[in-house]
Structures are given as structure tokens and as C-alpha cells.
Amino acid sequence: MNDATYLLDESLKKLVEIRNLQNEMSDTAEWNRQTPQHRQEREGLLRSLERQATSYMALGNETVHMLEYMTSEVVEPFITPQIVDRLAAMLDYNLDSLVGPRCTELKVRNPDKYRFQPRTLLQQLITVYLNLCKSKEFVQAVARDGRSYKKELFSKASEILKKYSLKLERDVEILNKFVNDVEEVIKLEAADDEELGDIPDEFLDPLMYEIMEDPVILPESRVSIDRKSITTHLLSDATDPFNRKPLTIDQTRN
């Protein structure tokens, strides 16, 4: 998941830069007014970005394909408390990149040159959602993603899926039901938060700012943190997030 997030993010950023350079060069009159050195530097930058975008996109495509395959075979590892929130956030973030307001920035000339196939990538991301959508834990994780989740993104994705026949009609219906389930969870959690009122800081996880369910104490920094939160952090960074000293989950205590 870390690889998918990094590779797709980098490749899509490079495509935006490539598009900007292509637009710059297409303005022939303005381009010809630039000095030969400036044009040479910009052309060199374009070639460099094209190499990077192609490399990142090729690896990103393979990583997403592997994630699509793995979630079709086994669901349980992806809905564990340590994984599910990160997976939901990664999927929502990339869905926003592909169909959100800024997706037009990815419209480069000859996208196949960079192995960029947005419809295929969208189809694979949606398949991961469909593979996990029956899981209550996954529905709740998507609902908790306040950064990237937006109902309208799924509406746009559904339109694209139907327009280009990327998914069967029943799959689109399942996706729409999944979004409705997510919206219901959001409403219920909002009502619960309103009922609880202001929660004292000592009951909130210092990384996620959610109510701690299984608090543990970190041995060096002495910070109280939810076990799920610190376990998730340690999957990608084996240090105490508050003092950067080496840390394993076995060193925490209740």
C-alpha cells in the first residue's frame, strides 16, 4: 500500500508537469521568443520527466494490479485495524486524483507513451472497493476518511464506468450501495459525536484524534496512544513518533 501510494502519487505529479511543459511548447510564438538555452533546458526537463513518469507509472500499475488480485483472493488481512484505515485513505486519495476536480491536469498528449491508462487504473481501484465492500470494517474506514472521501467522486466514477462499459451494471449498483452504507455510517458517527460533546484531550489518540479504545504507553516518550494507531505507524516507521527513538509494539505497555 505504501508503494501504491508513493508510485501513483509521483507518476501523477510528473504527468501534471509534463502537461504544463507540453502546453508551454505548443504556444509556438511564445516558445520561439525564448532563448536557445532556455528551450534546451526545458526540453531536457521534459525528457527527464517523461522517463520518471513512465517508470513510476509502470511500477504503480503493477502494484495496483497486485492489490486488486490479492483482495479478490483474501479479504481478512486488509480489514485488520492496523491496515484498513490506511487502505481506505489510499484508495480514496487516488480516486480523487483520477476523477476529482483536478483530473483534467492529467490529460497529456499520447498517454500510452507513459503507460498511463486512466480507465484501466480506475477499473482496478473500483474492483478493490468491490472486493472489500461487504466488510463492515472497510465501510467504517472509508467513512472515517475525512481527507479524501467524497460521495460525488463515486458518482463521477459510476458515470465513467457505465459510459465506457468498464464494469457490469450490477457492479455499479453494488458500488452505489456501498457509498450509501458509508454515508449512513457518517451520519451515525456525526450524531454520536454531537451526543458526546467535547471530549477531554487525554481520551483522544494524539495521532488520529479519535477516542482511544485500547490505550498503551510508549516507553521513552511516555505518551499515551491507542494500540491500533501506534501499530499502524510502526508498520512503516519503527520509531516512536514523538522522539524518533527505535520502538517495537512489544515495548509498549498498558
Side-chain angles (χ1 to χ4, degrees):
M1 285 187 297
N2 287 343
D3 287 344
T5 299
Y6 174 76
L7 292 168
L8 289 180
D9 198 32
E10 287 299 311
S11 59
L12 296 181
K13 285 179 181 177
K14 302 304 179 190
L15 290 177
V16 172
E17 294 182 65
I18 289 170
R19 180 177 184 272
N20 292 338
L21 277 171
Q22 289 177 340
N23 289 340
E24 178 183 333
M25 294 176 181
S26 66
D27 186 348
T28 307
E30 181 62 29
W31 179 251
N32 290 333
R33 278 196 288 269
Q34 303 301 319
T35 65
Q37 181 180 354
H38 177 82
R39 293 199 298 267
Q40 185 178 6
E41 289 174 353
R42 301 299 277 173
E43 289 167 351
L45 176 58
L46 177 60
R47 289 192 294 270
S48 176
L49 289 171
E50 289 180 331
R51 288 192 297 270
Q52 293 175 55
T54 303
S55 177
Y56 283 131
M57 187 58 69
L59 293 171
N61 288 339
E62 289 299 320
T63 306
V64 173
H65 176 68
M66 181 172 63
L67 188 61
E68 175 192 25
Y69 169 73
M70 292 175 68
T71 55
S72 70
E73 293 294 315
V74 58
V75 170
E76 286 74 15
F78 295 96
I79 60 173
T80 59
Q82 299 84 3
I83 295 295
V84 68
D85 286 322
R86 182 183 296 182
L87 176 59
M90 184 274 284
L91 293 171
D92 292 343
Y93 177 80
N94 285 295
L95 183 64
D96 188 14
S97 297
L98 287 175
V99 303
R102 300 181 63 184
C103 67
T104 55
E105 297 178 1
L106 303 175
K107 291 185 177 180
V108 295
R109 300 187 190 100
N110 192 17
D112 288 340
K113 177 181 179 180
Y114 315 111
R115 302 189 183 184
F116 180 46
Q117 300 174 316
R119 295 176 194 171
T120 300
L121 190 54
L122 175 62
Q123 182 185 39
Q124 291 175 332
L125 287 175
I126 293 299
T127 299
V128 178
Y129 281 106
L130 294 174
N131 290 340
L132 302 173
C133 69
K134 293 181 181 178
S135 161
K136 179 181 69 175
E137 292 83 359
F138 183 65
V139 172
Q140 293 172 335
V142 173
R144 285 193 294 267
D145 180 22
R147 178 185 177 188
S148 298
Y149 169 78
K150 301 178 186 68
K151 182 179 180 180
E152 55 268 26
L153 295 177
F154 288 88
S155 299
K156 181 68 177 298
S158 294
E159 292 174 5
I160 296 171
L161 295 172
K162 289 188 288 188
K163 179 178 180 179
Y164 296 103
S165 300
L166 300 178
K167 285 292 181 185
L168 298 174
E169 184 67 32
R170 69 169 179 267
D171 289 330
V172 176
E173 291 175 358
I174 293 172
L175 181 66
N176 292 336
K177 181 184 182 303
F178 163 73
V179 175
N180 290 334
D181 291 342
V182 171
E183 290 293 311
E184 284 299 315
V185 171
I186 292 174
K187 291 178 183 177
L188 289 173
E189 291 187 351
D192 289 343
D193 290 343
E194 185 175 349
E195 184 177 344
L196 285 172
D198 292 333
I199 301 169
D201 289 344
E202 59 264 30
F203 295 111
L204 295 176
D205 178 88
L207 291 182
M208 303 304 295
Y209 297 100
E210 298 174 350
I211 298 176
M212 292 186 286
E213 298 178 0
D214 183 12
V216 295
I217 298 175
L218 304 185
E220 294 287 342
S221 62
R222 309 299 298 170
V223 173
S224 181
I225 189 171
D226 194 75
R227 184 184 299 276
K228 179 183 73 172
S229 178
I230 189 61
T231 303
T232 300
H233 167 80
L234 292 174
L235 288 173
S236 55
D237 186 351
T239 63
D240 185 324
F242 303 98
N243 61 15
R244 312 310 300 170
K245 292 185 178 181
L247 177 68
T248 65
I249 192 63
D250 295 335
Q251 292 176 288
T252 63
R253 64 181 182 85
N254 293 329

